[in-house]
Every structure is written in structure tokens, then in C-alpha cells.
Amino acid sequence: MTLTLQTDRLLIRDWEEDDADAALEIYGSADVAQWLSPAIDKVTDAATMRVILQAWIEAQPNFVVPAGRWAVTRKDDGEVVGGLLIRLLPPYEEDLEIGWQLRPSAWGNGYASEASRALMTWAFDEGATDELYAVARPNNKRAIATAKRLGMEWVGETDKYYDLNLQVYRIRASEFKD
């Protein structure tokens, strides 16, 4: 399924192979990679990033709505500033995670909240889901602040997802205000 969403400043769209250099600024940054779950090393070069994007692009049609991975671009210049995802949390049965990753040079502009809010609106309206979760490592103050800005409530700490100690936030469709 192809998805395109717009906000005042941002366009959320499917990833493209030509996004490899811009995606490397996100997933190749140690400042971003240290917080990812599941835990992964930073992507080291554009060729590897291109292979990862190819895998994401190939997998996208197989996801059940609202799951997927998308690029976040600024509308004014088309620059890729981040990525969004909705996916099943382990044990991969029913809990859907929303996640956001921005390149460090885009931090502090409200892009994560703006893009995530648009994706959440779509997921609740079109995705037949009634709740979304966000997980963050306990010291990831930026992700925790974003979850709170999105109206998500802290529901506890667990190590059942990705074998990491994570803070868990949740929002139900009935509580969401876009």
C-alpha cells in the first residue's frame, strides 16, 4: 500500500532507493542508532543503507494496515528529515508500536510530533486499530518527551520487547486528539 500524508510543513511518503544518502544521515548517526529498538549498530555506508531501504520497500506491500515504514520530508525543500514506522511489538501478535527517527540536524523543530500525529490520525481512522504504543529506553529523554507531547500515557517499564529495558507509552483512539 502506498501512503502519502501531509501536514503544514511535512510530507510522509514511502521510502525510495534514492533516499539512501538522506536515510544514512538518520540511521548512520550514532546519536540516533544508540536509541533504536531492537538494538542495532549504526548503518556505516550508503550502499548498506540502500540495501536496507530495498528491504523496507519490498516488505511494505506485505504489511497489514496500518503497519509500515515511511520517510518524512520537508515540503518546502523536499529534504528527508526522518522516518516513521508502525509495526507489531514482540511477540508480534497484536500490540502496534509507532516509532520516529529524525536526523540530528532536524531535532528541535517539532517534526517528530507533527509527523507522528498525522500518522496516528491515519492509523486510527484507516488502520482499524484502537491503540498504539511507543517504547523508549529510560534515558531517551527526547523520545519520552515526544510520546508525552503526542498525548501518550506511561503504562510501565518492561523488558519483554526486544530484550531491552524499555519505558512503554500508550494512546487509545478514544483519547487521541489530532
Side-chain angles (χ1 to χ4, degrees):
M1 183 194 100
T2 299
L3 176 68
T4 304
L5 299 173
Q6 293 189 47
T7 69
D8 289 342
R9 302 180 298 163
L10 303 172
L11 175 70
I12 299 159
R13 61 161 173 80
D14 291 343
W15 283 104
E16 301 168 358
E17 283 186 45
D18 290 342
D19 293 329
D21 289 336
L24 185 62
E25 290 186 43
I26 303 163
Y27 303 100
S29 167
D31 290 334
V32 174
Q34 70 176 324
W35 301 116
L36 295 177
S37 54
I40 63 167
D41 293 329
K42 70 178 186 163
V43 179
T44 57
D45 57 70
T48 302
M49 190 73 245
R50 185 174 296 277
V51 170
I52 292 169
L53 285 178
Q54 288 169 344
W56 291 352
I57 292 164
E58 288 175 21
Q60 191 79 348
N62 300 315
F63 288 121
V64 175
V65 173
R69 288 184 173 273
W70 301 276
V72 178
T73 66
R74 281 193 303 248
K75 286 167 60 173
D76 63 355
D77 62 7
E79 191 73 29
V80 174
V81 296
L84 289 174
L85 64 83
I86 294 179
R87 64 179 169 201
L88 286 170
L89 282 164
Y92 310 108
E93 293 171 0
E94 62 181 333
D95 294 342
L96 286 172
E97 171 191 9
I98 184 168
W100 49 86
Q101 308 82 39
L102 293 180
R103 68 178 197 214
S105 63
W107 291 355
N109 293 297
Y111 296 149
S113 297
E114 184 175 332
S116 295
R117 190 170 301 286
L119 188 61
M120 291 165 76
T121 299
W122 170 80
F124 288 138
D125 290 348
E126 306 294 327
T129 188
D130 60 353
E131 63 186 4
L132 290 169
Y133 292 84
V135 296
R137 296 185 195 207
N139 293 327
N140 189 347
K141 292 178 175 60
R142 298 179 88 76
I144 290 168
T146 299
K148 290 177 180 177
R149 275 194 298 280
L150 292 168
M152 301 182 97
E153 292 186 14
W154 184 77
V155 293
E157 187 170 284
T158 186
D159 61 1
K160 78 176 187 177
Y161 303 131
Y162 311 117
D163 294 323
L164 295 169
N165 185 37
L166 297 169
Q167 300 291 308
V168 181
Y169 292 81
R170 177 185 64 211
I171 191 161
R172 294 187 170 109
S174 61
E175 302 163 341
F176 180 66
K177 296 173 181 64
D178 58 347

